[in-house]
Structure formats: structure tokens, C-alpha cells
Amino acid sequence: MKRPGMQQPDPVAFIKANLPISPVPSIPEIRLHTAGPASGLWRLAGRREADPAPYWAYPWAGGAVLARYLLDRPEIVVGLRVLDLGAGSGLVAIAAAKAGAATVTAVDIDANAIAAIGLNAAINGVDIIARAADIIEDPPPEIDLLVVGDLFYDPTLALRVMAFLRRCEASGIEVLIGDPERAHLPRGELSRIATHIVADFGGGTGGAAPAGVFALFGNG
């Protein structure tokens, strides 16, 4: 455990040194820095209650299914302004950029995730604007497509996210959600448009799981 007064490591240097680069399972087109048993991730992420959990360091099914969907159907994003909300490692943002989006912005509340996104974007040869911010109480951004992977794991967060997605949809932004149907996904408000078997660290085993791509009712 991190001792009091122990200096926080530089996230870029730490990720380069401790999180090896590997292809994403079921998405070999994309390689990411990914944590393993020997990564010592707690040294970077911290153990305080206020420290964000290091979700960015692992593949999650919601992001993976969105990435697979966008890569298989580039016509969905080509030429569009895309924002990846709760971007984590940047997997979905990278897929959108590879599929031909005009601009891609990745937003996450964890500054360590932003460091990882910069490194992962460079590995994959794409340009991504990465921001550490909580934007879900803000007005809808000036974008064409909002992609949201795996943000329905907590009941309070799920309510806040859904309210933001509804505001975005009302302003004319297309919304796509990727999720393996975790407990707080509002299934009654969504329309499933695709399913893929993808890697899911969030399932507790790190194995494969079926996950869906969803649109809001009334949004295609």
C-alpha cells in the first residue's frame, strides 16, 4: 500500500514502464497499454477513497463492443465529430479515429486515463483530443456522435449519464451506448442494434462476454 508522503509517479513514465502493449482481444486492429498482475497499478492509482478506480487500465465489454462496431461499420463515423464519454484507455475513441471520424475527443475524470489515452493514440497512429473533466452536468457539446462504453455500473452515475444523453439527443446528437447489460443499464429506454462477444475485465474473470450496442429510442 502507498505510504504517507510517498511520491506519486509520473503517469506517462509509469504506464510505459509497467503496462505492456498488447492487441485488444477480439479487436486486433488496436493495441493498448494494459495492466497485468505484475503492473503494480496501485502505485499510480492510489488507495484513497477519493482516488478514481483505474478502470482505464483494462478492457471492458462496453468499450470493446463499441470499438468493434465502429471498426466494422466505418460509415457510421466517417467525417463526424465524435466524443467518447468516460473514455478510459481511449479504445472507442481510437476505433472512431481509425474508422474515419473528422475529430475525436476523449473525456474521462481520471487524469491517469488521459495520460494512457495519449500514449495509446500514438501507438495506433491516430490523433485524439483528451480531456480530464466531468461534463455530464454541462450543456451538450458541439459534436455529431456521442459514444458511451460501460458507464452503467453504478446507480447514481447511471441516472446522471442518462440525463446527459437525453439532453444530447434532444440537441440533435446521435448517441451510441456499449454495455454487457450491467445491472443499471436502462434497458427499457434503449434499442439494441448489435451484439458481439468481446473481452470483459468487468465481468470479474477477464474472459469473453456478450455485449450490445444500443441507441436511445427515437435516435435510430
Side-chain angles (χ1 to χ4, degrees), residues 19-89:
L19 276 67
I21 298 166
S22 59
V24 178
S26 66
I27 313 174
E29 302 96 319
I30 295 177
R31 298 185 304 146
L32 301 176
H33 285 279
T34 304
S39 293
L41 193 60
W42 61 268
R43 289 181 285 147
L44 180 63
R47 292 268 179 93
R48 299 173 304 173
E49 186 176 347
D51 292 328
Y55 295 137
W56 55 268
Y58 306 94
W60 292 75
V65 72
L66 274 175
R68 184 71 272 157
Y69 183 74
L70 297 181
L71 288 168
D72 290 346
R73 299 165 181 81
E75 67 277 5
I76 291 171
V77 295
V78 67
L80 300 185
R81 300 166 298 172
V82 179
L83 188 144
D84 181 6
L85 180 67
S89 65

Side-chain angles (χ1 to χ4, degrees), residues 1 39 45 51 68 77 119 140 161 169 173 211 214:
M1 181 178 290
S39 293
D51 292 328
R68 184 71 272 157
V77 295
L119 293 171
V161 168
E169 182 196 36
I173 297 168
F214 302 87

